[in-house]
Amino acid sequence: MSRKLVSIREAADFLGVAAQTLRRWEREGKLIPDERTAGGRRRYDLARLRPECFRAPESARRTIAYARVSSHDQKADLERQKQVLELYCARQGWTFEVIADLGSGMNYHKKGLKRLLDEVIEGRIGRLVITHKDRLLRFGAELVFAICEAKQVEVVILNQGEDTTFEEDLANDVLEIITVFSARLYGSRSRKNRALLDDVKQAVEAHADRP
């Protein structure tokens, strides 16, 4: 019977992991490619790829609690988030780890967020705990939740109400957007553009400073 050989990308998609995971498994001797092409590319026998053999058992899947604030001025709030998450997870009797990030809710390249997504995609966690939805991302949190659902990761949001730091975070995010556009428009000769950006930035900063 002829074998159906697939590429590393196709094998990774079939198993629901990243291609780099298959490379790591090869180094560890966990899954060796069945063949290599003349150019050295890996080929896997599809019949031997059984997702259930490589999925972490439920008992080994950890809980990750994720905390985030936008700026260094909010470090006290970050510590409060971590304490709330630690207390909640401990009371549930879960084995957990806290990942903390400091950065804008619109920054998709935060170190902690990238690590969290890697853990979800690799199937190493079974539960994600956050204090508010916006702690994950300002925009795009629903996409992360969809990935969690596809990977059978339970999402626990402790507070479904309004985040008390929402306005401050939003102001910081708006300032970040203005800064990016300022860098582009300040290179132009339009004094009108510069004046407009300065006015908007001052208005946002004034709002953020309000008690």
Side-chain angles (χ1 to χ4, degrees):
M1 184 175 64
S2 61
R3 297 182 300 171
K4 181 177 181 181
L5 298 177
V6 296
S7 68
I8 187 172
R9 180 64 60 186
E10 292 170 321
D13 289 343
F14 182 77
L15 293 173
V17 298
Q20 64 185 21
T21 300
L22 267 63
R23 296 187 183 96
R24 175 168 56 82
W25 285 352
E26 181 182 354
R27 293 193 300 270
E28 296 171 351
K30 186 175 180 180
L31 180 62
I32 306 298
D34 293 275
E35 289 184 11
R36 282 186 180 265
T37 66
R41 296 185 180 278
R42 299 168 177 83
R43 292 293 181 264
Y44 297 84
D45 183 354
L46 190 61
R48 290 203 316 118
L49 300 178
R50 300 186 180 278
E52 63 273 14
C53 297
F54 300 97
R55 188 178 299 124
E58 289 299 319
S59 59
R61 300 180 75 190
R62 303 164 6 254
T63 292
I64 284 187
Y66 181 79
R68 180 193 65 81
V69 293
S70 293
S71 66
H72 289 276
D73 295 339
Q74 297 172 299
K75 278 191 172 181
D77 180 63
L78 182 62
E79 291 303 316
R80 283 193 294 271
Q81 282 185 53
K82 289 164 63 177
Q83 290 173 7
V84 169
L85 292 167
E86 289 170 355
L87 182 60
Y88 181 85
C89 292
R91 284 180 173 174
Q92 305 305 314
W94 296 334
T95 299
F96 68 94
E97 175 187 357
V98 177
I99 294 179
D101 256 339
L102 199 158
S104 168
M106 296 189 296
N107 178 1
Y108 290 77
H109 301 286
K110 295 185 293 292
K111 183 178 179 180
L113 178 63
K114 292 172 72 173
R115 184 185 161 209
L116 170 64
L117 290 174
D118 284 343
E119 295 285 319
V120 171
I121 292 171
E122 296 293 347
R124 290 193 290 263
I125 70 170
R127 186 181 296 106
L128 168 63
V129 186
I130 51 180
T131 55
H132 295 82
K133 184 179 74 171
D134 288 336
R135 293 303 90 204
L136 195 58
L137 283 169
R138 178 70 61 207
F139 305 109
E142 298 299 336
L143 177 58
V144 177
F145 295 155
I147 295 173
C148 288
E149 183 177 0
K151 290 293 183 177
Q152 298 181 325
V153 175
E154 177 188 3
V155 177
V156 179
I157 303 175
L158 302 187
N159 191 340
Q160 298 286 351
E162 183 179 348
D163 190 347
T164 55
T165 62
F166 174 80
E167 288 193 4
E168 185 176 355
D169 267 357
L170 186 58
N172 287 327
D173 291 339
V174 171
L175 284 172
E176 182 174 323
I177 294 175
I178 293 173
T179 300
V180 171
F181 279 97
S182 295
R184 295 181 180 178
L185 293 180
Y186 266 44
S188 70
R189 298 180 180 179
S190 172
R191 293 184 179 179
K192 184 177 180 180
N193 283 342
R194 298 181 188 183
L196 177 61
L197 284 170
D198 286 340
D199 289 344
V200 172
K201 191 170 183 178
Q202 289 173 10
V204 173
E205 289 175 339
H207 180 80
D209 290 338
R210 282 184 353 192

